[in-house]
Amino acid sequence: MASLFERGMKKAQESARLQDEAQFTRRWTEGKGNLEEFLSLATASPWTNYPSLAKRDLRKDIWVARLTLGDEKAVLEEILVENAAAREQAKLLRVQLYLKLQPDQIERNLQMISDFLREFPASESRKWLEFDIASLSYRRGEALWKEADALERAGDSAMAAEKRIAARQYLLQMRSLQGEVVEDKAAGIAASDVIDLRGDLLSSYCLEKDYSRVYSLAASMIAESSSGDVTWIVGKVYEGIAMQSQSPPQSEAAARVLDEVLALNSENKPNRDYYVLLAARWRVRIALDARDKDKARQIVQSIQDSNYTPDMKKAF
């Protein structure tokens, strides 16, 4: 039974990421069939746990499968008669499930997390849920800010201003939580999560063109770390981005800073890859602005010749 459940959930998650309607339908149908077969066997079973997996909660998997198949209302009504711990567990599963199946539905996910924390303020999951709120708030704020920039370029300044007001609320929410997030393995928050959120903080100030704040925060990250550390890399990358983004740009200084990052051997180091490739994109931009096509081609070729994953190379 467990393998049926796992296959069904894997296919359901994969289908949620597919843009092609035919591919989505095919994958979702496969996953739905697996989950329905699992539920048919599980609900007829006299066991509360799997016979061969004594520590695995069969009821939990049943809840997740039903939620995935759209039986949300009935599941939540049923747990009203359960004890408080069961209600919290089921509703937490609901939050976790939608974060996985519908990661792009940011506003809905934020609302679900907020509702959960209001109902269960003392939840042991509070720390990582607040981390999720911070991360999702940044993503939504960034998306709205980019929409505002596009509207500005199209000449719709009034709508752009409205978008920025909305975006700023999300960015402020992220900032209010960012300082509270610390590494906590028990809560599922890794050191890399904390660093990534600091990167989001720097990026948020770049969006608002608050470069003095970017310089200050980046300098702190550089000073507190050693050359080549992830924290150092993040500080250097955003220092370079701020230098190039301000008006007028400090292109030569930005190029030197970004070149320091690109000189590192950071291939196949997941915590560093994203930021090194971000540095490469900005360094290419600087080269093209200076009409130095040879330098731009050299950087692009170095990435293509590297050991970065095919998806990373394609995205670059």
Side-chain angles (χ1 to χ4, degrees):
M1 283 193 296
S3 60
L4 271 174
F5 170 78
E6 289 166 0
R7 283 201 302 272
M9 289 305 300
K10 182 175 183 291
K11 291 171 184 175
Q13 290 176 35
E14 290 172 350
S15 71
R17 294 191 291 268
L18 293 172
Q19 299 298 317
D20 182 89
E21 186 174 347
Q23 292 179 347
F24 164 80
T25 300
R26 182 170 59 253
R27 203 61 174 159
W28 167 247
T29 301
E30 292 172 354
K32 180 172 177 286
N34 290 146
L35 292 175
E36 288 173 341
E37 186 178 353
F38 160 75
L39 285 173
S40 176
L41 294 171
T43 53
S45 168
W47 304 301
T48 55
N49 287 340
Y50 293 93
S52 57
L53 301 168
K55 294 183 179 180
R56 181 162 173 173
D57 190 342
L58 177 59
R59 182 181 63 168
K60 179 178 175 180
D61 287 353
I62 292 174
W63 280 343
V64 171
R66 290 178 63 192
L67 288 168
T68 304
L69 293 174
D71 199 17
E72 179 178 319
K73 183 178 179 181
V75 171
L76 295 180
E77 286 176 351
E78 286 174 21
I79 64 171
L80 289 176
V81 300
E82 298 274 358
N83 58 44
R87 289 199 303 275
E88 179 180 347
Q89 183 186 34
K91 291 193 174 184
L92 179 61
L93 285 172
R94 175 174 173 256
V95 170
Q96 293 170 324
L97 178 65
Y98 281 97
L99 284 170
K100 288 181 179 178
L101 291 181
Q102 299 180 1
D104 295 331
Q105 298 296 315
I106 296 177
E107 292 185 359
R108 181 183 182 185
N109 285 324
L110 282 170
Q111 188 61 55
M112 289 179 68
I113 295 173
S114 297
D115 290 345
F116 176 86
L117 290 176
R118 273 194 295 273
E119 186 172 355
F120 305 102
S123 173
E124 292 182 358
S125 301
R126 186 176 190 92
K127 288 182 179 179
W128 73 259
L129 286 173
E130 287 181 340
F131 167 76
D132 278 339
I133 289 175
S135 297
L136 290 170
S137 295
Y138 167 74
R139 285 177 55 200
R140 186 59 182 146
E142 179 191 35
L144 286 170
W145 202 278
K146 290 180 177 179
E147 289 176 18
D149 286 345
L151 288 166
E152 193 78 55
R153 289 191 297 271
D156 193 343
S157 298
M159 184 60 71
E162 289 184 20
K163 286 280 186 182
R164 289 196 180 99
I165 290 171
R168 189 168 281 113
Q169 295 307 307
Y170 286 103
L171 298 180
L172 288 173
Q173 180 165 250
M174 180 272 289
R175 292 167 189 164
S176 71
L177 293 170
Q178 181 272 330
E180 304 299 320
V181 176
V182 296
E183 181 181 5
D184 189 330
K185 293 180 180 178
I189 302 172
S192 59
D193 294 325
V194 179
I195 294 170
D196 285 343
L197 203 53
R198 293 180 77 179
D200 291 345
L201 180 66
L202 287 164
S203 180
S204 76
Y205 286 119
C206 282
L207 289 171
E208 293 185 324
K209 297 181 172 57
D210 188 350
Y211 300 122
S212 61
R213 189 70 63 91
V214 177
Y215 288 135
S216 176
L217 293 170
S220 295
M221 295 181 76
I222 293 166
E224 73 186 46
S225 55
S226 301
S227 177
D229 289 350
V230 185
T231 301
W232 180 91
I233 291 172
V234 174
K236 282 288 185 179
V237 170
Y238 281 102
E239 180 183 41
I241 290 173
M243 287 175 172
Q244 181 61 18
S245 299
Q246 68 183 59
S247 182
Q250 299 180 24
S251 299
E252 291 185 6
R256 286 195 297 271
V257 169
L258 296 174
D259 283 342
E260 288 184 66
V261 175
L262 296 178
L264 298 169
N265 181 17
S266 296
E267 297 174 22
N268 298 321
K269 296 179 180 178
N271 294 342
R272 295 170 171 80
D273 285 350
Y274 170 81
Y275 297 104
V276 174
L277 291 174
L278 180 60
R281 281 195 291 272
W282 275 86
R283 186 63 182 88
V284 167
R285 183 181 300 185
I286 293 170
L288 292 175
D289 286 347
R291 299 186 179 181
D292 188 349
K293 294 183 180 179
D294 288 341
K295 181 64 177 179
R297 278 194 291 266
Q298 176 193 337
I299 296 168
V300 171
Q301 192 60 50
S302 70
I303 298 299
Q304 297 306 317
D305 291 343
S306 69
N307 292 323
Y308 292 114
T309 67
D311 286 345
M312 286 182 171
K313 292 179 181 181
K314 184 178 179 180
F316 178 78

